Amino acid sequence: SRKWLALQIQCYQCEEMTHDCSTPEFIVNCTVNVQDMCQKEVLVKDDGIHYRKSCASSGACLIASSGYQQFCTGKLNSVCITCCNTPLCNGPRQKKRPQPSAAVALTTPQLLVFSLYILVLLSSTLC
């Protein structure tokens, strides 16, 4: 039996918090080899900014973040989804150092190929 390299990261996890939920009680262990990224959603609502954080699979996170890119305006009803792949990277906002988002780098043709690749991957594991 081949030994798989077990990859596990930790992320912050919370649902619709009005604070940045980047404190130790929100740290979770992500599913080994499945959830390889941390996801962070920032929603601008009437009553202020809401945060949603979780572990995620890279495929799902990158597709979600690129899909919502047009809604990431910073204005009311804005939704911004970011993905990152280092431990606890969906924590507090980084100090003014521009962070190249993985999703922004994906152009539409690449994203389409990537999406198809994920679909093929999923269908081959299901059959």
Side-chain angles (χ1 to χ4, degrees):
S1 63
R2 270 183 67 189
K3 277 271 186 233
W4 288 99
L5 180 65
L7 291 175
Q8 183 176 50
I9 64 169
Q10 289 185 315
C11 299
Y12 291 99
Q13 183 165 299
C14 63
E15 277 295 320
E16 293 269 344
M17 295 278 184
T18 48
H19 59 85
D20 192 14
C21 65
S22 298
T23 45
E25 69 265 29
F26 293 106
I27 295 174
V28 295
N29 291 317
C30 302
T31 308
V32 178
N33 290 336
V34 175
Q35 297 175 314
D36 51 353
M37 283 194 144
C38 296
Q39 182 168 322
K40 179 177 181 175
E41 291 180 56
V42 181
L43 308 103
V44 182
K45 298 194 168 187
D46 293 325
D47 59 347
I49 297 176
H50 291 237
Y51 297 90
R52 196 186 286 150
K53 299 182 179 187
S54 62
C55 297
S57 67
S58 50
C61 194
L62 292 173
I63 288 169
S65 67
S66 57
Y68 275 94
Q69 216 171 324
Q70 56 185 325
F71 303 110
C72 182
T73 59
K75 300 187 179 81
L76 187 63
N77 299 324
S78 166
V79 180
C80 300
I81 300 180
T82 50
C83 316
C84 53
N85 60 1
T86 53
L88 303 178
C89 58
N90 65 344
R93 282 181 49 187
Q94 265 70 31
K95 301 284 173 280
K96 288 288 178 212
R97 209 181 74 227
Q99 217 179 8
S101 163
V104 178
L106 285 174
T107 59
T108 310
Q110 282 175 304
L111 184 70
L112 190 65
V113 170
F114 183 71
S115 308
L116 288 171
Y117 170 72
I118 295 296
L119 285 172
V120 169
L121 212 64
L122 285 173
S123 56
S124 63
T125 52
L126 293 175
C127 297

